[in-house]
Amino acid sequence: MMGDRAKATRLLKTARGQMDGILKMIEENRYCIEISNQIMACQAILSKVNKEVLNAHLCTCVLNSSGEDSKEKLQEISQVLDKLL
């Protein structure tokens, strides 16, 4: 991955911290809605990281590919988009 590695790392560490917090909330039998809100916040962070990774892929791997490799890279990104959508 190559785009903004520092940003992706920071976001993933934040998500990891949130997940640890969510586990603690569950262990403490906290209110379900509070737990759900934290889960959604963590999912939003992971979506941001995924966007960064895919953008980096487009701007490096796909952009720098050629010929059959280019077709393969486009097919890969299409499959990922199918999963996301």
Side-chain angles (χ1 to χ4, degrees):
M1 160 173 166
M2 321 358 73
D4 193 343
R5 189 180 302 235
K7 182 177 182 180
T9 299
R10 179 181 50 78
L11 287 168
L12 285 170
K13 287 180 179 180
T14 299
R16 181 176 57 195
Q18 273 194 302
M19 289 177 64
D20 289 340
I22 292 166
L23 285 169
K24 185 175 180 182
M25 291 173 77
I26 291 170
E27 290 167 355
E28 294 172 351
N29 203 29
R30 297 272 297 271
Y31 188 54
C32 298
I33 298 302
E34 292 176 11
I35 295 169
S36 180
N37 285 335
Q38 291 304 309
I39 290 170
M40 287 186 286
C42 190
Q43 287 172 322
I45 291 171
L46 292 173
S47 289
K48 262 187 189 177
V49 175
N50 197 30
K51 182 180 172 184
E52 290 291 322
V53 170
L54 291 174
N55 189 51
H57 179 69
L58 287 171
C59 293
T60 56
C61 299
V62 175
L63 191 62
N64 295 327
S65 64
S66 62
E68 282 301 311
D69 189 44
S70 181
K71 288 179 185 177
E72 183 179 317
K73 299 292 182 202
L74 289 173
Q75 203 170 23
E76 287 174 341
I77 202 74
S78 179
Q79 290 170 350
V80 170
L81 290 174
D82 284 345
K83 291 177 187 177
L84 287 173
L85 306 173

